[in-house]
Amino acid sequence: MPIVVPWLDYSAGQVEQLLASLLTRMMPTAQRIDGSGGDGGVDVQVPVVGGLHIYEIKRFADRLKPAQRRQIQESLLSAARSQSTMVAWTLVVPLDPTPGELEWFESQLQGLSPVPITWMGRTAIEAHLSAYDDLLRTFAPGSVETRALDLAVEALKGRPEGPRPLAGLQRVGVVPAPATSFEDRGGFFDDFSFGETVVLTGLGGVGKTQLAAGFIRDRGKNAAVVIWVTASSRDLVLGTYAEGARAVLGPQDSIEQAADRFLTWLAGTENIWLIVLDDVQTPADLRGLWPQGPSGRTVVTTRRRDAALAGYQRRIVDVDVFSAEQSARYLRSALRDQPALGDDIDGVAADLQGLPLALAQAAAFMLDRQLRCSEYRRRFADRRRRLSELLPEPEALPDQHRDTVATTWSLSMDAANQLAPVGVARPLMELLSVLEPDSISAGLMTADAARNWLSYAIWSATGSAGEIGAADIDTIADGLRTLHRLSLLRHDGDIVRVHALVQRVTREGLDAERRSSVVWAAADAVLEYWLRGGHAAKLDMTMRANVNALRRHDRGELTGSGGHKVLIFAGTRQGEAGDPRGAAEYFDDLLATSMPHSEPDHPDVLELRGHAARWRASAGDPASAISIHEALVHDFERRKGPDSVGTIVARANLAVCRARAGALTDGIHEMEQVLADCEQLFGPRNIHTFDARSLLAEMYGEAGAGEAALTMFAQLAADRLDALGPDHPDTLAAQGSHARWVAECGDRGAAIPLLQRLLDVRTRLLGPDHPDTLATRANLALALGESGDVEDAADNYGALLADSVRVMGPDHPKTLTVRNNYLLYNSLDMAPDDAANAWMDLIDDNARILGPRAPETLNSMHNFGEWLALAGHLDQATGWLQATLAGQTDVLGAEHPHTLATGAYLTRTQDAMTRQPPSVREE
């Protein structure tokens, strides 16, 4: 029967500790997140297929108040922003939901989430706690529920653990001494019953041997027989078993017979025994040699993850690196006698990514050379230094280490490359070595670009690809699993994770030509996979991380003349995802990186300058953008002449920049000249002419000349249809603009069928989640609302908001626009406080993502002012509208239609205030 827990008697800390411990007990792979520095909306995370399942713990044990609902929503959105690999989210709260709370959770909250969400409530929690009642005594002592449990424990006192020991204790093999600054991580041997085997597996250097030795030190004093086996070969295992047989059974004949008799004795004895099989190289070495018996426990350490390691009463435990806190604690202990050296312990811990072996060897290196942590980090960051130059010499290794970090993994790589499919593991790891360690999609390795390069690499290494076959998808998948089996990477679902030091060792084994080939092939694979993958925010974040990794390892291969297109694509996607300032800085940095490898007037350099100017304008710095564009026009004219395509495009960009900076009249005049030159130089049906017509039509509309914009877009849609066909993206874009201006010019009923047909075509060609499809749905919803079908518009915006958050993420500019329009049609039906908070949240998010003076932020401020006026808060509405008008006048200009609209609405609001009776005036 489930335990009934008095949750309201517990503090918030007790509840969080109790529930976090319950989750980690239920799911061995669960990881508790230390929130001391901000947990990013995560209390516990569990690796699952495709990414992470995030658990958020709340103390709330009574009905949810609005403030508590807001806390839950903020935790969900924070997790969505900070956890790029999140695939599911669960609220863990000791409260079963009411129908109203469940409706809020499953509709409103789920609509804001990019992943499925679930509620683990009181009934489920208490049912699970009934199986782990010791947690209550640990984290909620003294409660009514734990007193009866304590009585039951008292009744069991005095019962001996396991069977009686031998009269004489027997020890075989040498248990390694504790590391100088041994870090007791705990938890690996919890619930370790007699008759069981724990297999510790993981990357070489994560401390498996030290964990096993710690287990012997803790439990060995109560055992009659303790055997430590260096199990790196079958012969060593047999020899140690034979020695064990002599210790417990007396003199023996052959080694094989002695080992067999020893295993038989283990299976039948009532005496407690412990055996460690350390550093098993292959499961085949233990065939027929696994210890079994009801009185013993066995620990196996190995880098392998083969299925053959599993079996009856065997538990596989994956040992990971130290946490950031454990790493820092280890280094402080190692450097305790030289505290002056520890000036940047956290930095060294981060650089070495928590690998215990690397931390120990780095600490020894710093002590030997009296290097401060900051100086060690400077050397570590120097790409000219090999890792071997940053670790002790083999004869100076600490803690009885047999090999350096580099040697440890080189041996593993040699072994992996000899496993089937032979010769695939090494080139696979070479490609992986230049990507982001924790954000590699397995699909990157099956892109055509990666498969072609791998085929070449296998052929060049073996002299013939025929023996292995082409690098098809199955071969690559098997190669990744081989590297996983040797613990050289983690391959969980679609994500591949490689320790950064493994990558560094791999890269240092490449000569200059091979390295260049690897970097370019990886960039090809990233671009291909990204283009094929769609527009999901999660994909963009992952791919941008991989591009940043490629740039860190680039030595001119990607940024020289003819720079790789993935670099441009990454910056563009960053700007489109709602970070124009970051995109401008990205292109500035990319330009600075490219200059040493290119001539100042190289077309690639000029293109980078154009991208930097474009995003600087979007980031709210039009003056700098105009200056850059003017210089670009001058440089193109000087290099290519006034009639070149590059010069024409630079002039068009300058005109657009002027218009968006508030100088609409100047921008229109310049664009009219660009269009005339395009028609003369390229002809009326050239793509550049079409683009100039589209930009000019948009400027006419922004300037208030809607009929002119409508006429131009109608003709442009017809011309593009004739020249490019019905399914071309430019044709569809022109049709969308035409439909928009049909609605803007007042014929909203005619716009609706145009938009519906466009939506059908884009859904068929691009799919329902493509940004162009979502944009068409937004325009259709707006047309429905403006035609009087307010209810349908509100419903459409609700569904569109959920899809936009799911596909593009909550911070994408297009998602923010949908939120704005959703509130326009729904906020008047919301509770006043909820509506006001929703508008304020939107304005804050716009300011945070796009900037406080961005046109989108100012537009939301205007809409909030209108809502306040309609809700009767005229004083507050006037204040918001005045602030909006000042911002629009400064950014867009006094004659911009948006500025004029805000001024007109402000005047009407102020007039309404003067007519308002004193009894209802706001104070």
Side-chain angles (χ1 to χ4, degrees):
M1 185 173 182
I3 294 174
V4 179
V5 181
W7 296 100
L8 293 175
D9 293 344
Y10 298 164
S11 68
Q14 285 177 305
V15 172
E16 183 171 349
Q17 289 280 358
L18 175 58
L19 295 183
S21 298
L22 174 63
L23 292 173
T24 55
R25 189 73 64 82
M26 291 166 57
M27 297 169 286
T29 59
Q31 301 167 345
R32 179 83 185 275
I33 301 301
D34 179 9
S36 59
D39 58 20
V42 183
D43 288 315
V44 173
Q45 63 184 28
V46 180
V48 295
V49 174
L52 293 174
H53 189 147
I54 300 302
Y55 291 79
E56 176 65 23
I57 298 172
K58 296 296 183 186
R59 178 198 182 189
F60 315 139
D62 207 342
R63 300 274 58 89
L64 293 181
K65 300 178 177 61
Q68 293 170 333
R69 293 190 184 191
R70 175 177 291 278
Q71 288 183 41
I72 294 170
Q73 177 178 314
E74 289 174 352
S75 294
L76 171 60
L77 295 178
S78 178
R81 286 192 295 267
S82 65
Q83 302 297 317
S84 62
T85 59
M86 182 173 74
V87 297
W89 184 89
T90 293
L91 172 68
V92 184
V93 57
L95 177 69
D96 289 328
T98 65
E101 289 166 342
L102 193 61
E103 169 66 21
W104 164 78
F105 185 87
E106 293 181 345
S107 58
Q108 182 175 338
L109 201 61
Q110 178 64 79
L112 296 175
S113 174
V115 300
I117 65 175
T118 53
W119 180 313
M120 179 187 287
R122 177 170 182 164
T123 300
I125 291 170
E126 292 177 350
H128 290 303
L129 274 174
S130 64
Y132 305 104
D133 51 27
D134 62 298
L135 295 176
L136 285 173
R137 290 194 299 276
T138 303
F139 298 106
S143 70
V144 175
E145 301 300 324
T146 59
R147 293 193 191 109
L149 297 173
D150 291 336
L151 291 175
V153 170
E154 289 295 324
L156 294 174
K157 280 186 176 180
R159 180 181 296 177
E161 183 190 14
R164 61 179 178 83
L166 286 174
L169 303 180
Q170 302 297 328
R171 302 290 184 265
V172 176
V174 179
V175 179
T180 304
S181 300
F182 177 70
E183 180 72 22
D184 186 6
R185 289 182 263 181
F188 289 97
F189 303 106
D190 292 347
D191 303 321
F192 191 2
S193 302
F194 284 101
E196 286 189 338
T197 296
V198 168
V199 180
L200 300 178
T201 183
L203 177 68
V206 293
K208 302 181 293 295
T209 296
Q210 279 291 318
L211 289 171
F215 170 76
I216 292 296
R217 290 192 294 272
D218 291 342
R219 309 286 182 93
K221 53 183 173 291
N222 296 322
V225 176
V226 174
I227 310 292
W228 183 277
V229 185
T230 300
S232 53
S233 72
R234 185 175 180 87
D235 287 343
L236 286 173
V237 176
L238 287 169
T240 309
Y241 281 3
E243 189 176 346
R246 286 191 291 271
V248 299
L249 298 173
Q252 299 291 310
D253 297 326
S254 70
I255 290 178
E256 289 78 5
Q257 288 179 340
D260 185 62
R261 288 171 184 167
F262 181 61
L263 289 169
T264 301
W265 180 83
L266 292 175
T269 185
E270 295 182 356
N271 297 287
I272 297 175
W273 54 264
L274 302 178
I275 293 180
V276 172
L277 294 157
D278 182 44
D279 195 24
V280 173
Q281 297 294 305
T282 172
D285 287 345
L286 295 185
R287 189 174 295 124
L289 299 180
W290 287 87
Q292 298 181 48
S295 301
R297 298 182 177 102
T298 302
V299 177
V300 175
T301 74
T302 180
R303 299 171 203 170
R304 303 289 290 254
R305 291 193 179 107
D306 303 68
L309 292 169
Y312 177 65
Q313 290 193 318
R314 297 181 204 162
R315 177 153 49 101
I316 310 294
V317 177
D318 205 344
V319 181
D320 206 348
V321 297
F322 283 164
S323 67
E325 179 183 354
Q326 290 169 332
S327 300
R329 189 163 56 235
Y330 176 90
L331 285 173
R332 279 194 295 271
S333 176
L335 302 176
R336 61 185 177 275
D337 294 333
Q338 298 284 340
L341 303 184
D343 62 342
D344 192 0
I345 281 175
D346 290 339
V348 173
D351 286 345
L352 301 179
Q353 292 200 345
L355 186 76
L357 182 66
L359 291 167
Q361 295 183 3
F365 185 85
M366 287 188 282
L367 287 168
D368 287 344
R369 289 159 176 77
Q370 288 295 288
L371 281 180
R372 294 176 180 271
C373 287
S374 56
E375 176 62 17
Y376 183 84
R377 293 196 69 202
R378 183 189 65 77
R379 296 190 186 188
F380 187 87
D382 185 351
R383 294 189 301 179
R384 296 169 298 179
R385 292 182 182 269
R386 299 177 69 85
L387 188 60
S388 58
E389 300 175 47
L390 303 168
L391 301 173
E393 299 85 355
E395 62 271 15
L397 293 174
D399 299 328
Q400 305 176 47
H401 294 172
R402 295 190 296 270
D403 298 308
T404 64
V405 169
T407 302
T408 296
W409 294 327
S410 294
L411 295 172
S412 293
M413 181 58 68
D414 290 342
N417 212 45
Q418 295 306 312
L419 294 177
V422 177
V424 174
R426 189 179 299 280
L428 260 176
M429 183 58 76
E430 290 174 357
L431 274 183
L432 295 169
S433 73
V434 296
L435 297 171
E436 179 64 19
D438 292 324
S439 301
I440 305 173
S441 297
L444 278 173
M445 297 299 101
T446 58
D448 289 342
R451 292 169 58 195
N452 291 337
W453 185 84
L454 287 167
S455 296
Y456 162 77
I458 295 168
W459 173 83
S460 62
T462 64
S464 173
E467 298 178 8
I468 301 173
D472 57 23
I473 292 176
D474 290 340
T475 298
I476 293 170
D478 290 346
L480 288 173
R481 294 307 299 176
T482 295
L483 290 166
H484 176 84
R485 285 165 58 197
L486 271 293
S487 296
L488 287 163
L489 55 76
R490 291 176 181 269
H491 186 196
D492 302 315
D494 184 51
I495 299 298
V496 174
R497 294 178 173 86
V498 189
H499 196 282
L501 293 182
V502 176
Q503 293 180 306
R504 181 165 182 164
V505 169
T506 304
R507 291 194 304 272
E508 289 178 353
L510 305 174
D511 59 31
E513 182 179 356
R514 179 73 161 196
R515 180 190 182 95
S516 177
S517 173
V518 167
V519 169
W520 194 268
D524 283 344
V526 169
L527 181 59
E528 177 189 337
Y529 185 82
W530 202 348
L531 288 169
R532 192 178 63 202
H535 293 75
K538 179 179 176 182
L539 174 70
D540 281 354
M541 290 178 64
T542 300
M543 292 300 102
R544 288 210 308 272
N546 280 287
V547 170
N548 289 337
L550 285 167
R551 292 189 62 203
R552 288 195 300 272
H553 306 312
D554 176 38
R555 295 181 180 174
E557 298 92 351
L558 302 180
T559 51
S561 297
H564 202 287
K565 295 303 179 185
V566 75
L567 303 179
I568 304 294
F569 193 73
T572 301
R573 278 293 181 90
Q574 183 173 355
E576 291 173 348
D579 186 13
R581 185 175 293 104
E585 292 171 354
Y586 171 90
F587 280 112
D588 285 342
D589 182 65
L590 189 57
L591 182 62
T593 306
S594 301
M595 290 301 290
H597 307 287
S598 304
E599 294 296 324
D601 288 342
H602 191 281
D604 289 340
V605 173
L606 297 177
E607 181 183 2
L608 289 177
R609 288 168 59 190
H611 285 293
R614 170 193 174 192
W615 291 112
R616 197 157 295 287
S618 298
D621 188 4
S624 294
I626 290 172
S627 176
I628 296 171
H629 278 308
E630 288 174 339
L632 270 174
V633 171
H634 175 268
D635 290 343
F636 267 113
E637 287 181 337
R638 175 174 52 82
R639 178 180 174 84
K640 295 288 188 179
D643 297 340
S644 72
V645 171
T647 303
I648 296 295
V649 170
R651 288 172 55 199
N653 289 335
L654 175 60
V656 170
C657 194
R658 289 198 202 282
R660 290 177 178 172
L664 261 174
T665 302
D666 291 342
I668 288 173
H669 175 71
E670 291 182 9
M671 187 57 70
E672 287 173 338
Q673 292 299 314
V674 168
L675 176 57
D677 290 343
C678 284
E679 289 175 336
Q680 179 181 353
L681 293 170
F682 310 130
R685 296 169 65 81
N686 179 269
I687 185 172
H688 298 296
T689 306
F690 284 158
D691 288 344
R693 289 169 61 188
S694 178
L695 291 170
L696 181 58
E698 194 67 39
M699 288 183 187
Y700 283 154
E702 286 294 312
E707 292 293 340
L710 173 60
T711 300
M712 288 188 68
F713 275 123
Q715 187 59 53
L716 181 61
D719 290 346
R720 278 186 158 161
L721 174 65
D722 182 52
L724 305 174
D727 293 343
H728 193 280
D730 289 348
T731 302
L732 300 178
Q735 291 173 348
S737 297
H738 173 234
R740 172 195 169 192
W741 287 104
V742 168
E744 291 282 350
C745 291
D747 196 355
R748 297 178 178 87
I752 291 173
L754 296 176
L755 289 167
Q756 186 60 63
R757 282 196 297 273
L758 180 61
L759 177 60
D760 293 342
V761 173
R762 280 181 161 161
T763 302
R764 172 176 58 82
L765 295 175
L766 307 175
D769 290 344
H770 192 280
D772 290 349
T773 307
L774 297 177
T776 307
R777 286 174 59 188
N779 290 334
L780 178 58
L782 182 62
L784 287 170
E786 292 181 343
S787 68
D789 196 347
V790 176
E791 185 174 347
D792 273 356
D795 291 343
N796 285 354
Y797 272 123
L800 179 59
L801 178 58
D803 288 340
S804 297
V805 171
R806 174 179 57 82
V807 174
M808 297 180 289
D811 286 352
H812 196 284
K814 292 182 179 179
T815 302
L816 297 177
T817 299
V818 174
R819 275 177 65 189
N820 178 85
N821 293 338
Y822 169 82
L823 288 175
L824 284 174
Y825 284 94
N826 288 275
S827 57
L828 287 176
D829 295 330
M830 298 165 63
D833 287 346
D834 290 343
N837 287 335
W839 277 113
M840 284 299 299
D841 287 345
L842 175 61
I843 293 169
D844 289 345
D845 286 343
N846 268 317
R848 171 176 58 84
I849 296 165
L850 304 175
R853 292 160 55 83
E856 295 82 359
T857 305
L858 297 170
N859 184 49
S860 293
M861 291 171 60
H862 172 104
N863 291 334
F864 182 41
E866 285 198 18
W867 180 87
L868 287 168
L870 292 172
H873 308 295
L874 298 181
D875 280 348
Q876 296 178 46
T878 299
W880 276 98
L881 291 169
Q882 287 173 334
T884 304
L885 181 61
Q888 288 176 330
T889 301
D890 190 29
V891 174
L892 303 177
E895 300 304 316
H896 194 282
H898 294 178
T899 308
L900 297 174
T902 299
Y905 200 90
L906 174 61
T907 299
R908 292 200 299 273
T909 303
Q910 291 170 328
D911 289 345
M913 288 180 63
T914 62
R915 296 193 301 270
Q916 190 178 46
S919 60
V920 296
R921 285 287 298 274
E922 295 179 344
E923 297 296 325

